[in-house]
Amino acid sequence: MENKINVKLLSMAGQGGSAFGVGLMNFIQEHPEIIVLSPDMSTPAGLDKFKASYPDHFMNVGIAEQNLIGIAAGLAEEGYKPICVAQACFITMRSFEQIRQYCGYMGIPMVLVGIGSGLSLQYMGNTHYALEDMALMRTIPGMTVVAPCDSLEAIKSLEAAVDYSGPVYIRLYGGTGIPSVYQEDYQFKLGKAVMLHEGSDIQIIATGSMVGNAMKVADALYNESIRASVVNMHTIKPLDASAIDCQKKLIVTIEEHSVIGGLGSAIESVLISQSVKPILLKIGINDRYMPVGSYNYLLGLSGLDIESIKNKIVKTIE
């Protein structure tokens, strides 16, 4: 990417529009081997400009996600770099067996992009919520799992995934107007967490859509005389274990995902082997199905709004 970026415009485009409408358009020239495949999801994913500009590099396979993965595997074996774009719930759940065999067992290096993850699809309900996708993808040997926190990081994740030699799942969320965490360009590396805020008392480790909320929670905790560090764990697998501060009295994980199998579980598996074990507070979607509703309503019901997260942390410390 160029050094000069317009974070506000990227935010307005959303994660998909930024990654595909801006990022992919910038580096397709350096990667003529890219083929983008979608199950009739080009418009929601922000791919319309790319599709119009590079029609020979785009395939609409129809609403058939399992077939999409099979086609992509064949293209990859012929030297292409397939980027498969579909709703997060369907590309990970409906196509799990195909991804397991082609990306895991056979090690085919395709890029899988799930749009509308977490609770993003609001009124479409539980059939379209993606609250298990990171857990599923983590179980596949050799799979890298990334959850960008904002539009800029979505671009950087896609670029890194294209350059990577193995399979990658990128988890995108939300529509347009995604809040920006980063205000300027920065060095992104798969598997390397980013320290966003220093704090001496507790550590908050967040991923994806919850990184921005984590920063606001840290500000709210400051008023409670609690100093919290904030880490953006954009890569869930492989996890950057070196970023976990076991000397803190409390580690909090925040994710728009089930508390089973996601970021919190990944952190938990690291802490088990440590001689010093801080208290771990996992904040995410509890073991339940969510109702239909607006995004902010669903976040509040899940306890993922700023006030609820702050109160959980204060109560745990007390």
Side-chain angles (χ1 to χ4, degrees), residues 149-180:
C149 68
D150 65 5
S151 296
L152 174 60
E153 197 162 78
I155 293 177
K156 291 185 166 292
S157 298
L158 183 63
E159 186 172 14
V162 168
D163 288 332
Y164 187 61
S165 59
V168 180
Y169 171 60
I170 302 175
R171 183 185 207 243
L172 303 185
Y173 71 98
T176 58
I178 298 294
S180 298

Side-chain angles (χ1 to χ4, degrees), residues 1 9 29 41 71-72 76 89 112 121 164 187 194 278 281:
M1 275 193 63
L9 286 180
Q29 298 296 335
M41 283 284 115
I71 294 171
C89 58
L112 311 173
L121 297 181
Y164 187 61
Q187 186 67 38
V194 181
L281 173 61

Side-chain angles (χ1 to χ4, degrees), residues 29-173:
Q29 298 296 335
E30 298 177 7
H31 295 278
E33 74 278 12
I34 287 176
I35 299 288
V36 180
L37 301 93
S38 173
D40 212 22
M41 283 284 115
S42 62
T43 297
L47 278 163
D48 284 348
K49 183 178 179 181
F50 176 83
K51 181 172 65 173
S53 301
Y54 301 95
D56 293 338
H57 292 261
F58 179 83
M59 294 179 65
N60 182 356
V61 304
I63 304 176
E65 290 83 1
Q66 294 170 326
N67 193 39
L68 178 151
I69 301 300
I71 294 171
L75 288 169
E77 291 292 87
E78 293 298 318
Y80 294 97
K81 186 74 174 189
I83 301 176
C84 304
V85 186
Q87 288 177 338
C89 58
F90 298 132
I91 197 169
T92 57
M93 291 190 283
R94 184 173 292 168
S95 308
F96 180 78
E97 181 182 3
Q98 287 72 25
I99 294 171
R100 176 182 180 271
Q101 310 301 8
Y102 294 129
C103 294
Y105 182 55
M106 296 176 66
I108 296 176
M110 63 180 79
V111 180
L112 311 173
V113 182
I115 62 173
S117 68
L119 299 165
S120 298
L121 297 181
Q122 342 180 43
Y123 295 106
M124 292 185 178
N126 284 287
T127 57
H128 287 62
Y129 298 158
L131 304 174
E132 312 89 353
D133 54 323
M134 291 195 297
L136 288 169
M137 293 297 100
R138 281 183 63 221
T139 67
I140 297 176
M143 179 67 74
T144 294
V145 180
V146 187
C149 68
D150 65 5
S151 296
L152 174 60
E153 197 162 78
I155 293 177
K156 291 185 166 292
S157 298
L158 183 63
E159 186 172 14
V162 168
D163 288 332
Y164 187 61
S165 59
V168 180
Y169 171 60
I170 302 175
R171 183 185 207 243
L172 303 185
Y173 71 98

